[in-house]
Amino acid sequence: SSGDADRSRKKSISVSRATVGLSRLFGLVGHFTENSKRKITRRSFSLPGSDPNSDYNVTLIMRIFLTGATGYIGSAVLEALLRGGHSVVALVRDPEKAEHLKLRGVHAIVGDLALPKYYAAAAEGCDSIIHAALELFKRGPDVDRQAIDALLGAAIRHSAKGQAVSFVYTSGVWVLGNTAGAAGEDAPVRPTPLVAFLPEHEQLILD
Protein backbone atom coordinates (compact mmCIF):
# COMPACT_ATOMS: atom_id res chain seq x y z
CA SER A 1 0.00 0.00 0.00
CA SER A 2 1.02 3.63 -0.29
CA GLY A 3 1.21 3.82 3.49
CA ASP A 4 3.63 0.88 3.58
CA ALA A 5 5.69 2.51 0.84
CA ASP A 6 5.86 5.74 2.81
CA ARG A 7 6.92 3.89 5.94
CA SER A 8 9.56 2.00 3.96
CA ARG A 9 11.12 5.36 3.16
CA LYS A 10 11.23 6.33 6.83
CA LYS A 11 13.77 9.06 7.28
CA SER A 12 16.77 8.62 9.56
CA ILE A 13 17.38 11.74 11.62
CA SER A 14 20.23 13.17 13.63
CA VAL A 15 20.32 16.61 15.23
CA SER A 16 23.28 18.63 16.41
CA ARG A 17 23.26 21.99 18.17
CA ALA A 18 26.76 23.05 17.16
CA THR A 19 28.22 25.35 19.80
CA VAL A 20 31.93 25.01 19.11
CA GLY A 21 34.09 27.11 16.81
CA LEU A 22 35.17 24.22 14.57
CA SER A 23 32.50 21.76 13.46
CA ARG A 24 32.38 18.74 11.19
CA LEU A 25 29.31 18.81 8.99
CA PHE A 26 28.80 15.01 9.12
CA GLY A 27 31.51 14.26 6.55
CA LEU A 28 29.61 15.88 3.71
CA VAL A 29 31.44 19.17 3.51
CA GLY A 30 34.46 18.39 5.69
CA HIS A 31 35.77 20.92 8.18
CA PHE A 32 34.93 24.60 8.13
CA THR A 33 35.20 27.45 10.62
CA GLU A 34 31.87 28.18 12.28
CA ASN A 35 32.64 31.29 14.28
CA SER A 36 29.01 32.37 14.45
CA LYS A 37 28.12 29.06 16.15
CA ARG A 38 25.08 28.20 14.06
CA LYS A 39 22.94 25.19 14.95
CA ILE A 40 22.72 22.37 12.43
CA THR A 41 19.76 20.08 11.92
CA ARG A 42 20.24 17.14 9.58
CA ARG A 43 17.63 14.87 8.07
CA SER A 44 18.55 11.95 5.84
CA PHE A 45 16.13 10.31 3.43
CA SER A 46 17.25 6.67 3.24
CA LEU A 47 16.60 4.18 0.50
CA PRO A 48 14.14 1.36 1.29
CA GLY A 49 15.98 -1.52 2.92
CA SER A 50 19.17 0.46 3.41
CA ASP A 51 21.00 1.03 6.67
CA PRO A 52 20.01 4.53 7.85
CA ASN A 53 23.29 4.76 9.77
CA SER A 54 25.47 4.09 6.75
CA ASP A 55 27.82 6.89 5.67
CA TYR A 56 26.70 6.76 2.05
CA ASN A 57 27.59 10.40 1.50
CA VAL A 58 31.07 10.54 3.03
CA THR A 59 33.26 9.53 0.09
CA LEU A 60 31.05 10.15 -2.93
CA ILE A 61 31.27 13.19 -5.17
CA MET A 62 27.84 14.75 -4.84
CA ARG A 63 25.65 17.33 -6.51
CA ILE A 64 24.58 19.70 -3.74
CA PHE A 65 22.00 22.48 -3.64
CA LEU A 66 23.00 25.35 -1.36
CA THR A 67 21.11 28.44 -0.21
CA GLY A 68 22.95 31.34 1.41
CA ALA A 69 26.09 30.55 -0.57
CA THR A 70 27.36 34.14 -0.33
CA GLY A 71 26.46 34.55 3.34
CA TYR A 72 28.66 34.15 6.39
CA ILE A 73 28.01 30.47 7.01
CA GLY A 74 27.00 29.50 3.48
CA SER A 75 30.21 30.87 1.97
CA ALA A 76 32.28 28.72 4.36
CA VAL A 77 30.20 25.68 3.44
CA LEU A 78 30.68 26.48 -0.25
CA GLU A 79 34.46 26.64 0.16
CA ALA A 80 34.50 23.23 1.82
CA LEU A 81 32.27 21.72 -0.86
CA LEU A 82 34.46 23.02 -3.66
CA ARG A 83 37.60 21.76 -1.92
CA GLY A 84 35.94 18.36 -1.71
CA GLY A 85 35.32 18.35 -5.46
CA HIS A 86 31.53 18.42 -5.14
CA SER A 87 29.25 19.91 -7.77
CA VAL A 88 27.37 22.87 -6.27
CA VAL A 89 24.11 24.46 -7.33
CA ALA A 90 23.69 27.74 -5.44
CA LEU A 91 20.70 30.04 -5.06
CA VAL A 92 21.87 33.67 -5.14
CA ARG A 93 19.88 36.91 -5.09
CA ASP A 94 22.59 39.21 -6.45
CA PRO A 95 23.36 38.74 -10.19
CA GLU A 96 26.88 40.12 -9.74
CA LYS A 97 27.65 37.62 -6.98
CA ALA A 98 26.15 34.88 -9.13
CA GLU A 99 28.59 35.69 -11.93
CA HIS A 100 31.47 35.50 -9.46
CA LEU A 101 30.35 32.04 -8.35
CA LYS A 102 30.02 30.88 -11.95
CA LEU A 103 33.68 31.74 -12.51
CA ARG A 104 34.48 29.26 -9.74
CA GLY A 105 32.54 26.47 -11.39
CA VAL A 106 29.35 26.87 -9.35
CA HIS A 107 25.99 26.55 -11.09
CA ALA A 108 24.44 29.75 -9.75
CA ILE A 109 20.69 30.36 -9.93
CA VAL A 110 19.59 33.97 -9.52
CA GLY A 111 16.42 33.99 -7.48
CA ASP A 112 14.66 34.63 -4.18
CA LEU A 113 13.79 32.17 -1.40
CA ALA A 114 10.24 33.48 -1.54
CA LEU A 115 9.86 32.24 -5.14
CA PRO A 116 10.40 28.44 -5.09
CA LYS A 117 9.31 28.06 -8.71
CA TYR A 118 12.75 29.35 -9.70
CA TYR A 119 14.78 26.82 -7.71
CA ALA A 120 12.68 23.83 -6.58
CA ALA A 121 13.38 21.78 -9.72
CA ALA A 122 17.12 22.39 -9.41
CA ALA A 123 17.06 21.29 -5.77
CA GLU A 124 15.17 18.12 -6.68
CA GLY A 125 18.02 17.08 -8.96
CA CYS A 126 20.59 17.17 -6.15
CA ASP A 127 21.91 14.51 -3.77
CA SER A 128 21.90 16.87 -0.81
CA ILE A 129 20.18 20.13 0.09
CA ILE A 130 21.79 22.59 2.50
CA HIS A 131 19.60 25.49 3.60
CA ALA A 132 22.04 28.03 5.05
CA ALA A 133 20.15 31.21 4.14
CA LEU A 134 18.28 33.11 6.82
CA GLU A 135 16.24 36.31 6.65
CA LEU A 136 15.68 38.19 9.89
CA PHE A 137 13.45 40.89 8.44
CA LYS A 138 9.68 41.14 8.87
CA ARG A 139 9.00 38.62 6.11
CA GLY A 140 11.70 36.24 7.39
CA PRO A 141 9.49 33.61 9.08
CA ASP A 142 7.14 33.30 6.10
CA VAL A 143 9.98 33.16 3.58
CA ASP A 144 11.86 30.55 5.57
CA ARG A 145 8.74 28.41 5.84
CA GLN A 146 8.17 28.68 2.08
CA ALA A 147 11.75 27.64 1.43
CA ILE A 148 11.57 24.70 3.84
CA ASP A 149 8.34 23.43 2.28
CA ALA A 150 9.81 23.73 -1.22
CA LEU A 151 13.17 22.17 -0.37
CA LEU A 152 11.74 19.33 1.70
CA GLY A 153 9.32 18.62 -1.13
CA ALA A 154 12.26 18.48 -3.54
CA ALA A 155 14.13 16.08 -1.23
CA ILE A 156 11.11 13.80 -0.88
CA ARG A 157 10.56 13.68 -4.65
CA HIS A 158 14.26 12.89 -5.14
CA SER A 159 14.03 10.08 -2.58
CA ALA A 160 10.87 8.72 -4.22
CA LYS A 161 12.95 8.05 -7.34
CA GLY A 162 15.04 5.59 -5.33
CA GLN A 163 17.93 7.98 -4.79
CA ALA A 164 19.40 8.79 -1.37
CA VAL A 165 19.27 12.44 -0.32
CA SER A 166 20.08 14.43 2.81
CA PHE A 167 18.72 17.76 4.06
CA VAL A 168 20.65 20.16 6.27
CA TYR A 169 19.03 23.16 7.98
CA THR A 170 21.15 25.76 9.77
CA SER A 171 19.50 27.64 12.59
CA GLY A 172 21.31 29.64 15.28
CA VAL A 173 22.30 29.54 18.92
CA TRP A 174 19.92 32.42 19.55
CA VAL A 175 17.22 29.75 19.80
CA LEU A 176 18.82 28.79 23.11
CA GLY A 177 18.34 32.27 24.54
CA ASN A 178 20.28 33.33 27.63
CA THR A 179 22.03 30.18 28.79
CA ALA A 180 23.83 31.83 31.73
CA GLY A 181 26.97 29.93 30.77
CA ALA A 182 28.06 27.15 28.43
CA ALA A 183 25.27 25.27 26.64
CA GLY A 184 25.40 21.58 25.71
CA GLU A 185 23.49 19.44 23.25
CA ASP A 186 20.64 19.01 25.74
CA ALA A 187 20.19 22.72 26.47
CA PRO A 188 16.53 23.82 26.52
CA VAL A 189 15.26 26.00 23.70
CA ARG A 190 14.32 29.53 24.82
CA PRO A 191 14.59 31.62 21.65
CA THR A 192 14.96 35.37 21.63
CA PRO A 193 12.01 37.19 19.99
CA LEU A 194 13.97 37.80 16.78
CA VAL A 195 14.26 34.06 16.07
CA ALA A 196 11.17 32.82 17.88
CA PHE A 197 10.01 31.08 14.69
CA LEU A 198 13.09 28.88 14.30
CA PRO A 199 12.29 26.05 16.77
CA GLU A 200 8.98 25.43 15.01
CA HIS A 201 10.75 25.27 11.65
CA GLU A 202 13.38 22.88 13.02
CA GLN A 203 10.64 20.58 14.31
CA LEU A 204 8.86 20.80 10.97
CA ILE A 205 11.95 19.35 9.30
CA LEU A 206 12.30 16.56 11.83
CA ASP A 207 8.64 15.63 11.63
Side-chain angles (χ1 to χ4, degrees), residues 63-143:
R63 184 170 177 82
I64 299 169
F65 185 86
L66 174 66
T67 69
T70 60
Y72 188 69
I73 295 299
S75 60
V77 174
L78 177 64
E79 291 297 326
L81 291 173
L82 294 178
R83 286 199 305 269
H86 298 290
S87 174
V88 181
V89 180
L91 178 66
V92 185
R93 281 187 295 189
D94 188 325
E96 184 176 345
K97 291 181 179 180
E99 288 302 317
H100 176 70
L101 292 184
K102 289 177 182 178
L103 294 175
R104 303 190 63 199
V106 176
H107 177 62
I109 299 173
V110 178
D112 191 293
L113 280 175
L115 300 171
K117 64 180 180 180
Y118 292 114
Y119 62 83
E124 183 178 336
C126 293
D127 306 304
S128 185
I129 296 172
I130 303 176
H131 182 26
L134 179 64
E135 288 201 27
L136 293 177
F137 302 109
K138 185 176 180 180
R139 71 170 194 159
D142 291 336
V143 170

Side-chain angles (χ1 to χ4, degrees), residues 2-64:
S2 60
D4 291 335
D6 290 339
R7 284 189 291 273
S8 72
R9 291 196 298 268
K10 183 67 177 177
K11 300 6 175 229
S12 62
I13 301 167
S14 63
V15 179
S16 171
R17 289 193 175 95
T19 57
V20 294
L22 189 66
S23 298
R24 181 166 180 80
L25 193 55
F26 55 84
L28 175 61
V29 297
H31 292 282
F32 65 92
T33 301
E34 195 183 346
N35 293 321
S36 65
K37 301 178 181 179
R38 292 282 286 277
K39 190 177 92 168
I40 299 169
T41 299
R42 177 195 179 193
R43 179 172 181 174
S44 297
F45 296 73
S46 302
L47 294 175
S50 65
D51 179 2
N53 297 313
S54 63
D55 292 328
Y56 65 86
N57 57 358
V58 173
T59 58
L60 299 178
I61 299 302
M62 303 172 68
R63 184 170 177 82
I64 299 169

